[in-house]
Amino acid sequence: MRAALATVRTWGTLVKFSHSVFALPFAFVGAALASVGHPITPRQVVWIVVAMVGARNAAMGFNRLADHALDARNPRTAGRELPAGRLSRAAVWTATLLLAALFVGASFALNSLCGVLSPVALLVIFGYSYTKRFTWGSHFVLGLALAMAPVGAWVAVRGSFLDPDGFVPWLLAAIVVLWVAGFDVVYACQDLEFDRGQGLHSIPARLGIPRALGVARLLHAGALAAMAGVGLAAGLGGVYWAGLLGIAALLAWEHRLLRPDDLSRLGLAFFNLNGMVSVAYLAVVLTALWVLP
């Protein structure tokens, strides 16, 4: 029993299960906004969660497999589970494929359109792992992978992209693409020298840290603009706009923590504050919907 629990804990560390806080709240946002005029059922909520868990953790497992050799050469990541030998490639492959199958099965359980699109989603989330080998736009591909969460949840509830409110899920996708790309640029700053040495591509490796941090700020400003677009398109009230000010303050705080010559607080800026942003945005949307007449 202890061995099994230790394996589960090791897998949780491998895929950084705690990082689910980035995408899962946005899936709930997509489902909540889609449910206006289209009541959501407990069954749908359960399958959305199952699909998210399957897709997100399959993606992380595949990423660790794809980056195994790179992680072993990078001092920052050499202690990860695969390079350190705490998990075998066979075990990670098995878990990754099972999670991918879980995602596909959950997608079909939601509706046929989600099921048919699930292999396309897997292609995107698995393909991201190779993009940094040939393009500095990899940050945006990661954003696209996570942006499928709110769009997929919208389709799970409504069964279609084509309805009078169909613009809302694409604004949610824009939020996630810009927000994720922004914080991934910040995260990549710590690997600038390694990436350059290995011929890997990122915005920090291409532009340097000062300009990369400037790009991250612009991306997060764009995410706030897309959030404003959601408020207008979905007809959300004053509570939403007040909450948006709070989210803007969190993002501003994140960028105040970082300086080109001092990334010591990158962990706080990357994980803690961005986790707060996603959860806060979900809370803002749910509250705004609750108080609507």
Side-chain angles (χ1 to χ4, degrees):
M1 184 65 177
R2 288 183 179 179
L5 289 174
T7 300
V8 170
R9 283 195 297 269
T10 302
W11 172 261
T13 304
L14 174 87
V15 299
K16 294 190 179 296
F17 188 75
S18 59
H19 287 195
S20 299
V21 73
F22 294 144
L24 189 57
F26 277 96
F28 289 141
V29 167
L33 289 172
S35 71
V36 177
H38 298 75
I40 189 170
T41 67
R43 176 184 176 278
Q44 287 173 319
V45 174
V46 169
W47 283 117
I48 287 171
V49 172
V50 172
M52 280 295 303
V53 169
R56 190 263 167 202
N57 291 299
M60 285 298 295
F62 188 86
N63 179 262
R64 293 298 186 253
L65 288 163
D67 284 354
H68 185 179
L70 290 172
D71 286 344
R73 295 196 293 270
N74 188 341
R76 184 179 66 82
T77 58
R80 285 178 175 171
E81 289 68 24
L82 274 174
R86 291 193 293 275
L87 287 173
S88 68
R89 287 184 62 86
V92 176
W93 265 118
T94 299
T96 297
L97 293 175
L98 288 173
L99 286 163
L102 178 66
F103 166 64
V104 173
S107 298
F108 274 104
L110 283 162
N111 58 56
S112 58
L113 181 57
C114 286
V116 168
L117 292 176
S118 60
V120 178
L122 287 175
L123 182 64
V124 174
I125 61 179
F126 287 169
Y128 154 72
S129 295
Y130 293 103
T131 54
K132 63 186 176 183
R133 290 160 172 78
F134 59 85
T135 175
W136 55 265
S138 58
H139 313 284
F140 297 96
V141 181
L142 177 61
L144 176 63
L146 271 66
M148 290 187 291
V151 176
W154 179 280
V155 176
V157 174
R158 298 212 175 179
S160 173
F161 296 111
L162 304 175
D163 58 61
D165 301 316
F167 199 53
V168 172
W170 304 113
L171 286 169
L172 291 174
I175 292 169
V176 177
V177 169
L178 295 168
W179 170 62
V180 170
F183 73 63
D184 193 55
V185 168
V186 169
Y187 189 76
C189 285
Q190 62 191 321
D191 286 331
L192 180 148
E193 295 302 331
F194 178 80
D195 288 349
R196 286 177 173 173
Q198 297 294 317
L200 299 174
H201 301 271
S202 71
I203 286 178
R206 182 181 179 90
L207 301 179
I209 290 177
R211 285 193 287 177
L213 293 179
V215 169
R217 288 191 290 270
L218 288 174
L219 291 171
H220 283 166
L224 286 169
M227 289 179 185
V230 168
L232 293 172
L236 302 176
V239 169
Y240 180 85
W241 297 105
L244 207 55
L245 291 176
I247 291 170
L250 286 173
L251 289 171
W253 183 14
E254 173 184 349
H255 290 283
R256 284 183 61 86
L257 290 173
L258 302 169
R259 299 200 311 269
D261 60 344
D262 182 9
L263 298 177
S264 61
R265 292 180 288 184
L266 187 146
L268 172 62
F270 168 73
F271 180 73
N272 299 68
L273 291 180
N274 283 297
M276 290 170 65
V277 166
S278 60
V279 173
Y281 189 64
L282 172 61
V284 167
V285 170
L286 292 178
T287 305
L289 290 173
W290 181 64
V291 301
L292 280 178

